[in-house]
Amino acid sequence: MNIFRGPSTLVLTINGERRKVVVEPHETLLDLLRSPQVGLTGAKPGCENGDCGACTILLNQKPAKSCMMFAVDAEGQDLVTVEGLVDAPVQRAFLDHFAFQCGYCTSGFLMAAQALLLTIPHPDPHQITEWLRSNICRCTSYEEILQAVREASER
Amino acid sequence: MIPGPLEYYRPTRWDEARQVFQQLIQAGRTPRYALGGTELITMARTSQLSFSDVIDLKRIPEVMTQDQDGDWITWGAGLPLGRIAALDRWPVLTATVDRVADHTSREHITLGGNGFSLLPYKEAMLPFMLVDHAEATLATGAGLVTGRLPDYFDGTWRVASEDFLVSLRVRESEVRNMRFRSFKLTRLDWIDYPLVTIVAVRHPTGEIRAAFAGWGSAPLVSAEVNRVLSDTSRSPGARAAAAIGAMPVKPLDDVHGSAAYRAFVTEYTLARMIGELEASS
Amino acid sequence: MTSVGVNVPRKEAPNKVTGRARYTRDLCQPGTLYGLLVPAHVAHARIRAVETSAAKGLDGVKAVITGDDVSFLTGDVIEDHPPLARGKVRYWGEPIALVVARDAATAQRAANLVRLHCDPLPVVNSVAEALSEHAPLVHDEVGSYTIATPPAAPRRHSNIADEANVTKGDCDQALRESDVVVTVHVSLPQIDHAAMEPRVATAEILADGRVLVVSSSQAPFEVQKLLAQYFHLHPGQIEVTAPLVGGAFGGKATVQLEILAYLASRAVGGHVVTLANSREVDMATSPVGMGLEADVVLGAASDGRLKAARLTFYLDIGAYADSAPRIARAIAAQCTGPYRVDHLHADVYAVYTNHTYTTAFRGFGHMPMTFAIERAMDELARKLGQDPLDLRQLNALAPGDLSPTKARLTSSNLGNLPETIQRLKPLIGWTGGAPYAVAPHRVRVQGVAAFWKTSSSPPNATSGAIVTMNADGSVNLSIGAVEFGAGTKTAAAQILAEALRIPVSRVFIRDEVSTATAPEHWKTVASLSTYMVGRAVLDAAQDVVRQLKSLAAVVLRCAPEDLDYGNETVFVRDDPTIQLKYADLALGYQYPEGDSIGGQIIGRGRFMIRHLNLLDQETGHGRPGPAWTVGVQAVEVEYDTETHQYQILKAATVLDAGRVINPAMAHGQVRGGMAMGLGIASREQIRYGPQGEFLSNQFRTYKVLRMGEQPDTYLVEFVTNPQVDAPFGARPLGEHGVLAIGAALANALSRASGLALNALPLTPEFIWQQRRTMA
Ligand SMILES: Cc1cc2nc3c(=O)[nH]c(=O)nc-3n(C[C@H](O)[C@H](O)[C@H](O)COP(=O)(O)OP(=O)(O)OC[C@H]3O[C@@H](n4cnc5c(N)ncnc54)[C@H](O)[C@@H]3O)c2cc1C
Ligand code: FES
Ligand code: FES
């Protein structure tokens, strides 16, 4: 049985790099990622309540809301944040389709879309909608995002 | 951000988990079992719930089973709803869990966590409330005990606080080819708590059975409502209206919708469901 | 033109798709302390004590401040607002204490230990309650408050914070003489801006007295001004930085957290303290958008020509006035919508309630105002049996007419509404607005509504631009407008590139604004930035060109007038081979012998809004903004007459853009506004409990549009009648997509259901309830 009391050390993989981090058991994974020791601020706090998706990352290739997980729960797991995307087609497609305005939701949408395309390389519009309505964008009309993901899936 | 402080235990055996729980209680602490953790995190953050320790059950093998063993289909309490939908072993369960929360959240929210949620909905439990042979396995002082679900759960759980749900199962022979409809009615949005979620099946016995979440402060089935719904001498509309009258409790009245409106949507939805369940296909 | 009118990607776009774009919360420095607001869980009460001893005793807590520690009042028009509740609690969520601690978790633990001892007071839970005869008073002494920025007219011993009136002609007489009169009562709830980035501010007081503030603000210069005023500092001491902002919609144009962050830092010896709203606090504690109750009476001749309007607007401004007096005047000034009404009487009241206080919301009051007018226009069309678009076209204001406040309208300052209406018809496939059946219980119908809006900016709003040239002839552009998604920076870069005849890629612009280095820009609001910043940029560009030419003239031994420029060169007009590169002149010109002249090319530009004035308090006459953008919007819905569920099939907007600087961004702005407006009209609503409890403080209860709920098709087109004094003729369009689309939806559903749906949001339950009340 693992017990975490006070600051605890754990090992996990972030963007392909195995890292040792120190966390408090009450910290969420979002807290950890954004903390100075990891320093990945791409995942955003939008609600910290599981509602908006701005904090979405990949957890073992699946989409996960990092505000909805205890950091210690990520021990030994494989995480990818938006900073870990390198020339992903979905990034290019978001640029080409002007799929953001303020950009605050963008990391989360990109990661949800990336997770979708890893699981279903050629999703139909219904599947795109079903995966991406986990996220909220207050600026765009969603149309741009939908089109960007559709195009990324066709590349 | 959760205020804490917290201690976090991750047992790998069910008896270890119970033991820690009891020790912590004896030490005057307030432990909580956790699966997906979503409700614990959201409620701790807003100080609606406070607890000193989290006992994470997800590394206990029995809690994560996804077996089909002979006639029994078993789902570990720790399976995320997204995984349950992907396994797709029981279409009515797939359809129902697919409407809880949103796609990403369903990778977190588990069957057991939803079942033991402090919210009134517990939508994932509805299909299990409709079959004769649903069973629950619990980790108890007497070992892992499996019994008929209604003996433990009728919308509200009657299990000791140190006991926890390990898995749920149904008989494939009972649920195979069972016709069903699963509808979630919300105020307006696709992603929202239910005004009412109705899961209805046409049981092999010929009976129409319906389970409701969101109507009252706990999910419910009612023998009387099922009798009314199954009365083929009346039109679906008449049966739906009668079912509203036969509901054992009054509908909720809250920010999602008024009591009268809940009754209205429930009635037209039931009428549609009966029609579709009885349509020759 | 090569840079204006083309789809230039946002300057900061690559950072936004890689997680590298930095918002305020991403900039936290080591050693930062955490502030946390403790919200009241009572809506109206007299405070006996705020008990903080337990919180203060917690390990890691650095300070706990309450209203007892802060004696000044804030408010940009009426100074009625204590930064922390003092004496009274006036809304559920009002901060009663501010905790500063080592880390966020400790701050939360401490906050949970703060106790409010109070005597509850009767709650003013609606505008109607606020105006009732023996209403409890939200403010005991409205008459005693300082008016920081006149005009404002609080009414003594009442819940009326302010009123604005406009009168023209003889309204009563004209109503009597009208052939048709319609009366509509409209009721709209408060709504939340719900920017995806919750508000956040960080403050630090350095040993040398300088104050560093970093804030998710639309108005860093306003923050600087007010901090200087409230804390008796020199403006120059205060440096406010606004990094990229994660959505704003007017909600980040007011100053709240910055004052509290300063107080927090001061309480801990000037240490850097960050104060980040949780979503719950952002919704309930920081300001929201106002609610509206309105009575609209329109009188018309039998041919549909409007004769008279009597309009009464009651704004649910919540507990504090904030921008409400300005918004009340904006509503008064545009109260008729884009229609000519010669006989008019309008009263706008800003009403205090025990609801969360309110501030600007995308459209600055024009969205609720438009809803009221456009519902009445549609009822008028129904009563007259007239095509609703024809009715609007018939009554459209035209050049030569006067606005409600008697400002003269011209073809430059007024867009062309009739042209937008004509363009809309083929765009949406206009059916005339009559519902038609498509299946049993299912009807389709179209609804329309029109809008106009001007800036309602203060008459002394100013903007500036500084251009410095790099050694290679590229330029750095510094402006004071904040980037929150509207593409202001990119548009400014496009304008500069066009004016200097260089590619946009040769213009460099920083994401953040700092009041210490950027020229003053009033506020990034009112869709005015392209106009104001653009004019300042053009001015700066002229300055750059003048400097380039005068230096080149010396080197090339000719008169500056002999020179032209392009392709990053200055050349002699009649022999372009005689030329100098921008790079040769950028940092001064060096002769082959080594001696040099000139110095860095530094262009400066500025712009001040002109010819505006404050509305006369008696007559309401005056000129509220430089120009009015107009447009028309439509939706097509399919409605189930039994369940009252509906789908939005199409949503369309045609607006007079004057000239489009960046088509892709302009379409995105308008479509995004339409999505927001449809969300507001269909589902958004702040709900209060019977005791004024704020019930919608998360996205679980405050529902916004998600993917899949948007219309199947967005249709956006622009007509282009230039505003001659605007950069390249471009009219403002940032807010406008939101303005009338909700009214169009209500008009469509009213036609489909045969009901008069005059309240929002248009949930199926609301329609069902209206149907039941009718039956
Ligand atoms: C974004 C979002 C949207 C949501 N929308 C919906 C919705 O539409 N419909 C709906 O029904 N719910 C919804 N919920 C709430 C959801 O029901 C709960 O958050 C979720 O069910 C909890 O599951 P979990 O696995 O995360 O449980 P946890 O948070 O781990 O636990 C929940 C509770 O169950 C107890 N518990 C956990 N495991 C066991 C066990 N094995 N035996 C006994 N007790 C146990 C815990 O102590 C805790 O009290 C939503 C939640 C989120 C985050
Ligand atoms: S911040 Fe995690 S879902 Fe909103
Ligand atoms: S781009 Fe601003 S929230 Fe999506």
Side-chain angles (χ1 to χ4, degrees), chain A residues 34 44 46 49 51 91 101-102 133 138-139 141-142, chain C residues 16-17 23 26 193 279 668-669 684 700 705-706:
Chain A
R34 294 178 55 82
K44 302 287 184 235
N49 201 53
D51 297 322
Q91 289 172 296
Q101 290 177 25
C102 79
R133 65 175 149 219
R138 188 60 161 166
C139 300
S141 71
Y142 292 115
Chain C
K16 286 181 171 172
V17 296
Y23 303 81
D26 303 335
H193 305 85
R279 178 58 61 187
Q669 283 291 298
E684 294 185 28
R700 303 267 174 101
L705 208 70
R706 288 180 189 257

PDB file of all heavy atoms in Angstrom, chain A residues 34 44 46 49 51 91 101-102 133 138-139 141-142, chain C residues 16-17 23 26 193 279 668-669 684 700 705-706:
ATOM      1  N   ARG A  34       1.278  23.246 -13.211  1.00  0.00           N
ATOM      2  CA  ARG A  34       1.495  24.688 -13.301  1.00  0.00           C
ATOM      3  C   ARG A  34       2.477  25.209 -12.248  1.00  0.00           C
ATOM      4  O   ARG A  34       2.868  26.369 -12.308  1.00  0.00           O
ATOM      5  CB  ARG A  34       0.153  25.416 -13.157  1.00  0.00           C
ATOM      6  CG  ARG A  34      -0.805  25.145 -14.337  1.00  0.00           C
ATOM      7  CD  ARG A  34      -2.140  25.841 -14.138  1.00  0.00           C
ATOM      8  NE  ARG A  34      -1.982  27.266 -13.916  1.00  0.00           N
ATOM      9  CZ  ARG A  34      -1.820  28.174 -14.873  1.00  0.00           C
ATOM     10  NH1 ARG A  34      -1.838  27.793 -16.132  1.00  0.00           N
ATOM     11  NH2 ARG A  34      -1.665  29.441 -14.581  1.00  0.00           N
ATOM     12  N   LYS A  44      -4.854  25.336 -18.434  1.00  0.00           N
ATOM     13  CA  LYS A  44      -5.352  26.534 -17.759  1.00  0.00           C
ATOM     14  C   LYS A  44      -6.421  26.209 -16.728  1.00  0.00           C
ATOM     15  O   LYS A  44      -7.275  25.359 -16.976  1.00  0.00           O
ATOM     16  CB  LYS A  44      -5.990  27.486 -18.788  1.00  0.00           C
ATOM     17  CG  LYS A  44      -5.065  27.930 -19.892  1.00  0.00           C
ATOM     18  CD  LYS A  44      -4.040  28.934 -19.378  1.00  0.00           C
ATOM     19  CE  LYS A  44      -3.172  29.456 -20.486  1.00  0.00           C
ATOM     20  NZ  LYS A  44      -1.742  29.269 -20.219  1.00  0.00           N
ATOM     21  N   GLY A  46      -9.837  27.075 -15.591  1.00  0.00           N
ATOM     22  CA  GLY A  46     -10.997  27.849 -16.051  1.00  0.00           C
ATOM     23  C   GLY A  46     -12.133  27.721 -15.063  1.00  0.00           C
ATOM     24  O   GLY A  46     -12.945  28.632 -14.921  1.00  0.00           O
ATOM     25  N   ASN A  49     -13.403  22.663 -11.759  1.00  0.00           N
ATOM     26  CA  ASN A  49     -14.597  21.936 -11.336  1.00  0.00           C
ATOM     27  C   ASN A  49     -14.997  20.889 -12.361  1.00  0.00           C
ATOM     28  O   ASN A  49     -16.098  20.349 -12.310  1.00  0.00           O
ATOM     29  CB  ASN A  49     -15.737  22.948 -11.134  1.00  0.00           C
ATOM     30  CG  ASN A  49     -16.833  22.418 -10.253  1.00  0.00           C
ATOM     31  OD1 ASN A  49     -16.561  21.954  -9.147  1.00  0.00           O
ATOM     32  ND2 ASN A  49     -18.056  22.442 -10.743  1.00  0.00           N
ATOM     33  N   ASP A  51     -15.744  21.356 -15.453  1.00  0.00           N
ATOM     34  CA  ASP A  51     -16.799  21.789 -16.367  1.00  0.00           C
ATOM     35  C   ASP A  51     -16.300  22.358 -17.693  1.00  0.00           C
ATOM     36  O   ASP A  51     -17.000  22.295 -18.694  1.00  0.00           O
ATOM     37  CB  ASP A  51     -17.652  22.863 -15.691  1.00  0.00           C
ATOM     38  CG  ASP A  51     -18.369  22.322 -14.465  1.00  0.00           C
ATOM     39  OD1 ASP A  51     -18.820  21.163 -14.514  1.00  0.00           O
ATOM     40  OD2 ASP A  51     -18.454  23.049 -13.458  1.00  0.00           O
ATOM     41  N   GLN A  91      -2.714  21.547 -34.451  1.00  0.00           N
ATOM     42  CA  GLN A  91      -2.215  22.906 -34.170  1.00  0.00           C
ATOM     43  C   GLN A  91      -2.246  23.760 -35.430  1.00  0.00           C
ATOM     44  O   GLN A  91      -2.700  24.897 -35.434  1.00  0.00           O
ATOM     45  CB  GLN A  91      -0.767  22.844 -33.640  1.00  0.00           C
ATOM     46  CG  GLN A  91      -0.653  22.295 -32.239  1.00  0.00           C
ATOM     47  CD  GLN A  91       0.784  22.065 -31.834  1.00  0.00           C
ATOM     48  OE1 GLN A  91       1.480  21.238 -32.433  1.00  0.00           O
ATOM     49  NE2 GLN A  91       1.245  22.785 -30.826  1.00  0.00           N
ATOM     50  N   GLN A 101      -9.797  33.029 -30.261  1.00  0.00           N
ATOM     51  CA  GLN A 101      -9.652  34.483 -30.166  1.00  0.00           C
ATOM     52  C   GLN A 101      -8.735  34.778 -28.986  1.00  0.00           C
ATOM     53  O   GLN A 101      -7.548  34.991 -29.153  1.00  0.00           O
ATOM     54  CB  GLN A 101     -11.015  35.157 -30.060  1.00  0.00           C
ATOM     55  CG  GLN A 101     -11.788  35.048 -31.387  1.00  0.00           C
ATOM     56  CD  GLN A 101     -13.169  35.639 -31.337  1.00  0.00           C
ATOM     57  OE1 GLN A 101     -13.473  36.513 -30.548  1.00  0.00           O
ATOM     58  NE2 GLN A 101     -14.056  35.153 -32.204  1.00  0.00           N
ATOM     59  N   CYS A 102      -9.297  34.738 -27.760  1.00  0.00           N
ATOM     60  CA  CYS A 102      -8.429  35.032 -26.615  1.00  0.00           C
ATOM     61  C   CYS A 102      -7.400  33.940 -26.391  1.00  0.00           C
ATOM     62  O   CYS A 102      -6.347  34.176 -25.826  1.00  0.00           O
ATOM     63  CB  CYS A 102      -9.252  35.258 -25.351  1.00  0.00           C
ATOM     64  SG  CYS A 102      -9.835  33.746 -24.552  1.00  0.00           S
ATOM     65  N   ARG A 133     -17.452  18.736 -26.824  1.00  0.00           N
ATOM     66  CA  ARG A 133     -18.349  19.506 -25.977  1.00  0.00           C
ATOM     67  C   ARG A 133     -18.010  19.321 -24.496  1.00  0.00           C
ATOM     68  O   ARG A 133     -18.708  19.841 -23.626  1.00  0.00           O
ATOM     69  CB  ARG A 133     -19.802  19.254 -26.305  1.00  0.00           C
ATOM     70  CG  ARG A 133     -20.315  17.887 -26.059  1.00  0.00           C
ATOM     71  CD  ARG A 133     -21.828  17.905 -26.335  1.00  0.00           C
ATOM     72  NE  ARG A 133     -22.282  16.633 -26.824  1.00  0.00           N
ATOM     73  CZ  ARG A 133     -23.199  16.491 -27.774  1.00  0.00           C
ATOM     74  NH1 ARG A 133     -23.735  17.522 -28.346  1.00  0.00           N
ATOM     75  NH2 ARG A 133     -23.593  15.301 -28.131  1.00  0.00           N
ATOM     76  N   ARG A 138     -15.668  30.704 -24.913  1.00  0.00           N
ATOM     77  CA  ARG A 138     -16.593  31.821 -24.781  1.00  0.00           C
ATOM     78  C   ARG A 138     -16.436  32.815 -25.929  1.00  0.00           C
ATOM     79  O   ARG A 138     -17.252  33.710 -26.068  1.00  0.00           O
ATOM     80  CB  ARG A 138     -16.335  32.515 -23.441  1.00  0.00           C
ATOM     81  CG  ARG A 138     -17.321  33.590 -23.038  1.00  0.00           C
ATOM     82  CD  ARG A 138     -18.744  33.084 -22.911  1.00  0.00           C
ATOM     83  NE  ARG A 138     -19.586  33.967 -22.111  1.00  0.00           N
ATOM     84  CZ  ARG A 138     -20.904  33.894 -22.083  1.00  0.00           C
ATOM     85  NH1 ARG A 138     -21.538  32.986 -22.799  1.00  0.00           N
ATOM     86  NH2 ARG A 138     -21.604  34.715 -21.326  1.00  0.00           N
ATOM     87  N   CYS A 139     -15.354  32.685 -26.706  1.00  0.00           N
ATOM     88  CA  CYS A 139     -15.092  33.703 -27.734  1.00  0.00           C
ATOM     89  C   CYS A 139     -15.581  33.302 -29.118  1.00  0.00           C
ATOM     90  O   CYS A 139     -16.175  34.102 -29.826  1.00  0.00           O
ATOM     91  CB  CYS A 139     -13.600  33.977 -27.858  1.00  0.00           C
ATOM     92  SG  CYS A 139     -12.818  34.579 -26.365  1.00  0.00           S
ATOM     93  N   SER A 141     -17.353  30.843 -32.251  1.00  0.00           N
ATOM     94  CA  SER A 141     -18.703  30.318 -32.480  1.00  0.00           C
ATOM     95  C   SER A 141     -18.716  28.793 -32.477  1.00  0.00           C
ATOM     96  O   SER A 141     -19.735  28.204 -32.768  1.00  0.00           O
ATOM     97  CB  SER A 141     -19.215  30.812 -33.825  1.00  0.00           C
ATOM     98  OG  SER A 141     -18.512  30.153 -34.865  1.00  0.00           O
ATOM     99  N   TYR A 142     -17.605  28.142 -32.161  1.00  0.00           N
ATOM    100  CA  TYR A 142     -17.392  26.690 -32.224  1.00  0.00           C
ATOM    101  C   TYR A 142     -17.254  26.183 -33.653  1.00  0.00           C
ATOM    102  O   TYR A 142     -16.629  25.153 -33.899  1.00  0.00           O
ATOM    103  CB  TYR A 142     -18.510  25.894 -31.511  1.00  0.00           C
ATOM    104  CG  TYR A 142     -18.530  26.080 -30.017  1.00  0.00           C
ATOM    105  CD1 TYR A 142     -19.598  26.701 -29.383  1.00  0.00           C
ATOM    106  CD2 TYR A 142     -17.479  25.647 -29.220  1.00  0.00           C
ATOM    107  CE1 TYR A 142     -19.624  26.884 -28.011  1.00  0.00           C
ATOM    108  CE2 TYR A 142     -17.491  25.815 -27.849  1.00  0.00           C
ATOM    109  CZ  TYR A 142     -18.566  26.432 -27.244  1.00  0.00           C
ATOM    110  OH  TYR A 142     -18.593  26.601 -25.885  1.00  0.00           O
TER     111      TYR A 142
ATOM    112  N   LYS C  16      -0.389  30.799 -28.976  1.00  0.00           N
ATOM    113  CA  LYS C  16      -1.649  30.283 -28.438  1.00  0.00           C
ATOM    114  C   LYS C  16      -1.879  28.812 -28.776  1.00  0.00           C
ATOM    115  O   LYS C  16      -2.637  28.151 -28.080  1.00  0.00           O
ATOM    116  CB  LYS C  16      -2.816  31.157 -28.919  1.00  0.00           C
ATOM    117  CG  LYS C  16      -2.845  32.517 -28.196  1.00  0.00           C
ATOM    118  CD  LYS C  16      -3.998  33.417 -28.618  1.00  0.00           C
ATOM    119  CE  LYS C  16      -4.069  34.647 -27.692  1.00  0.00           C
ATOM    120  NZ  LYS C  16      -5.040  35.658 -28.172  1.00  0.00           N
ATOM    121  N   VAL C  17      -1.259  28.300 -29.817  1.00  0.00           N
ATOM    122  CA  VAL C  17      -1.448  26.870 -30.116  1.00  0.00           C
ATOM    123  C   VAL C  17      -0.323  25.998 -29.561  1.00  0.00           C
ATOM    124  O   VAL C  17      -0.277  24.802 -29.828  1.00  0.00           O
ATOM    125  CB  VAL C  17      -1.613  26.586 -31.632  1.00  0.00           C
ATOM    126  CG1 VAL C  17      -2.868  27.243 -32.159  1.00  0.00           C
ATOM    127  CG2 VAL C  17      -0.390  27.012 -32.414  1.00  0.00           C
ATOM    128  N   TYR C  23      -0.710  34.352 -19.827  1.00  0.00           N
ATOM    129  CA  TYR C  23      -1.774  35.154 -19.217  1.00  0.00           C
ATOM    130  C   TYR C  23      -1.330  35.463 -17.784  1.00  0.00           C
ATOM    131  O   TYR C  23      -0.332  34.915 -17.301  1.00  0.00           O
ATOM    132  CB  TYR C  23      -3.087  34.373 -19.247  1.00  0.00           C
ATOM    133  CG  TYR C  23      -3.479  33.956 -20.647  1.00  0.00           C
ATOM    134  CD1 TYR C  23      -2.913  32.838 -21.249  1.00  0.00           C
ATOM    135  CD2 TYR C  23      -4.389  34.708 -21.396  1.00  0.00           C
ATOM    136  CE1 TYR C  23      -3.242  32.469 -22.543  1.00  0.00           C
ATOM    137  CE2 TYR C  23      -4.724  34.341 -22.693  1.00  0.00           C
ATOM    138  CZ  TYR C  23      -4.145  33.220 -23.263  1.00  0.00           C
ATOM    139  OH  TYR C  23      -4.469  32.859 -24.544  1.00  0.00           O
ATOM    140  N   ASP C  26      -0.116  32.891 -15.425  1.00  0.00           N
ATOM    141  CA  ASP C  26       1.039  32.095 -15.850  1.00  0.00           C
ATOM    142  C   ASP C  26       2.352  32.768 -15.480  1.00  0.00           C
ATOM    143  O   ASP C  26       3.422  32.231 -15.747  1.00  0.00           O
ATOM    144  CB  ASP C  26       0.995  31.889 -17.371  1.00  0.00           C
ATOM    145  CG  ASP C  26      -0.297  31.230 -17.825  1.00  0.00           C
ATOM    146  OD1 ASP C  26      -0.911  30.531 -16.995  1.00  0.00           O
ATOM    147  OD2 ASP C  26      -0.692  31.425 -18.985  1.00  0.00           O
ATOM    148  N   HIS C 193     -20.381  37.454 -17.540  1.00  0.00           N
ATOM    149  CA  HIS C 193     -19.476  37.553 -18.692  1.00  0.00           C
ATOM    150  C   HIS C 193     -18.866  36.192 -19.016  1.00  0.00           C
ATOM    151  O   HIS C 193     -18.680  35.850 -20.168  1.00  0.00           O
ATOM    152  CB  HIS C 193     -18.346  38.530 -18.398  1.00  0.00           C
ATOM    153  CG  HIS C 193     -18.824  39.885 -17.971  1.00  0.00           C
ATOM    154  ND1 HIS C 193     -19.145  40.174 -16.670  1.00  0.00           N
ATOM    155  CD2 HIS C 193     -19.054  41.009 -18.672  1.00  0.00           C
ATOM    156  CE1 HIS C 193     -19.547  41.438 -16.588  1.00  0.00           C
ATOM    157  NE2 HIS C 193     -19.503  41.965 -17.795  1.00  0.00           N
ATOM    158  N   ARG C 279     -13.754  30.294 -10.097  1.00  0.00           N
ATOM    159  CA  ARG C 279     -14.920  30.541 -10.958  1.00  0.00           C
ATOM    160  C   ARG C 279     -16.109  31.011 -10.114  1.00  0.00           C
ATOM    161  O   ARG C 279     -16.839  31.922 -10.494  1.00  0.00           O
ATOM    162  CB  ARG C 279     -15.277  29.272 -11.744  1.00  0.00           C
ATOM    163  CG  ARG C 279     -16.506  29.377 -12.636  1.00  0.00           C
ATOM    164  CD  ARG C 279     -16.413  30.482 -13.673  1.00  0.00           C
ATOM    165  NE  ARG C 279     -15.309  30.290 -14.592  1.00  0.00           N
ATOM    166  CZ  ARG C 279     -14.955  31.202 -15.502  1.00  0.00           C
ATOM    167  NH1 ARG C 279     -15.598  32.351 -15.616  1.00  0.00           N
ATOM    168  NH2 ARG C 279     -13.932  30.961 -16.293  1.00  0.00           N
ATOM    169  N   GLY C 668     -14.930  36.108 -37.468  1.00  0.00           N
ATOM    170  CA  GLY C 668     -14.833  35.397 -36.202  1.00  0.00           C
ATOM    171  C   GLY C 668     -15.435  36.192 -35.058  1.00  0.00           C
ATOM    172  O   GLY C 668     -16.158  35.652 -34.219  1.00  0.00           O
ATOM    173  N   GLN C 669     -15.165  37.502 -35.038  1.00  0.00           N
ATOM    174  CA  GLN C 669     -15.729  38.363 -33.991  1.00  0.00           C
ATOM    175  C   GLN C 669     -17.247  38.345 -34.056  1.00  0.00           C
ATOM    176  O   GLN C 669     -17.922  38.226 -33.039  1.00  0.00           O
ATOM    177  CB  GLN C 669     -15.276  39.819 -34.199  1.00  0.00           C
ATOM    178  CG  GLN C 669     -13.862  40.095 -33.778  1.00  0.00           C
ATOM    179  CD  GLN C 669     -13.712  40.017 -32.292  1.00  0.00           C
ATOM    180  OE1 GLN C 669     -14.323  40.783 -31.557  1.00  0.00           O
ATOM    181  NE2 GLN C 669     -12.943  39.072 -31.821  1.00  0.00           N
ATOM    182  N   GLU C 684     -28.752  31.481 -20.663  1.00  0.00           N
ATOM    183  CA  GLU C 684     -27.969  32.097 -19.595  1.00  0.00           C
ATOM    184  C   GLU C 684     -28.851  32.905 -18.647  1.00  0.00           C
ATOM    185  O   GLU C 684     -29.733  33.639 -19.078  1.00  0.00           O
ATOM    186  CB  GLU C 684     -26.868  32.984 -20.185  1.00  0.00           C
ATOM    187  CG  GLU C 684     -25.839  32.164 -20.949  1.00  0.00           C
ATOM    188  CD  GLU C 684     -24.674  32.976 -21.445  1.00  0.00           C
ATOM    189  OE1 GLU C 684     -24.344  34.005 -20.826  1.00  0.00           O
ATOM    190  OE2 GLU C 684     -24.089  32.584 -22.466  1.00  0.00           O
ATOM    191  N   ARG C 700     -22.032  24.417 -13.878  1.00  0.00           N
ATOM    192  CA  ARG C 700     -23.069  23.390 -13.708  1.00  0.00           C
ATOM    193  C   ARG C 700     -24.444  24.037 -13.656  1.00  0.00           C
ATOM    194  O   ARG C 700     -25.438  23.400 -13.955  1.00  0.00           O
ATOM    195  CB  ARG C 700     -22.878  22.623 -12.391  1.00  0.00           C
ATOM    196  CG  ARG C 700     -21.560  21.959 -12.235  1.00  0.00           C
ATOM    197  CD  ARG C 700     -21.559  20.530 -12.704  1.00  0.00           C
ATOM    198  NE  ARG C 700     -20.183  20.045 -12.627  1.00  0.00           N
ATOM    199  CZ  ARG C 700     -19.723  19.277 -11.637  1.00  0.00           C
ATOM    200  NH1 ARG C 700     -20.525  18.874 -10.693  1.00  0.00           N
ATOM    201  NH2 ARG C 700     -18.472  18.899 -11.636  1.00  0.00           N
ATOM    202  N   LEU C 705     -23.372  28.174 -24.034  1.00  0.00           N
ATOM    203  CA  LEU C 705     -23.435  27.348 -25.232  1.00  0.00           C
ATOM    204  C   LEU C 705     -22.203  26.458 -25.334  1.00  0.00           C
ATOM    205  O   LEU C 705     -21.090  26.897 -25.067  1.00  0.00           O
ATOM    206  CB  LEU C 705     -23.470  28.292 -26.439  1.00  0.00           C
ATOM    207  CG  LEU C 705     -24.166  27.819 -27.700  1.00  0.00           C
ATOM    208  CD1 LEU C 705     -25.667  27.762 -27.461  1.00  0.00           C
ATOM    209  CD2 LEU C 705     -23.872  28.772 -28.852  1.00  0.00           C
ATOM    210  N   ARG C 706     -22.415  25.214 -25.699  1.00  0.00           N
ATOM    211  CA  ARG C 706     -21.294  24.316 -25.995  1.00  0.00           C
ATOM    212  C   ARG C 706     -21.365  23.858 -27.443  1.00  0.00           C
ATOM    213  O   ARG C 706     -22.375  24.068 -28.115  1.00  0.00           O
ATOM    214  CB  ARG C 706     -21.355  23.070 -25.102  1.00  0.00           C
ATOM    215  CG  ARG C 706     -20.996  23.335 -23.663  1.00  0.00           C
ATOM    216  CD  ARG C 706     -21.083  22.041 -22.858  1.00  0.00           C
ATOM    217  NE  ARG C 706     -20.940  22.321 -21.446  1.00  0.00           N
ATOM    218  CZ  ARG C 706     -19.822  22.104 -20.737  1.00  0.00           C
ATOM    219  NH1 ARG C 706     -18.755  21.569 -21.311  1.00  0.00           N
ATOM    220  NH2 ARG C 706     -19.768  22.392 -19.460  1.00  0.00           N
TER     221      ARG C 706
END
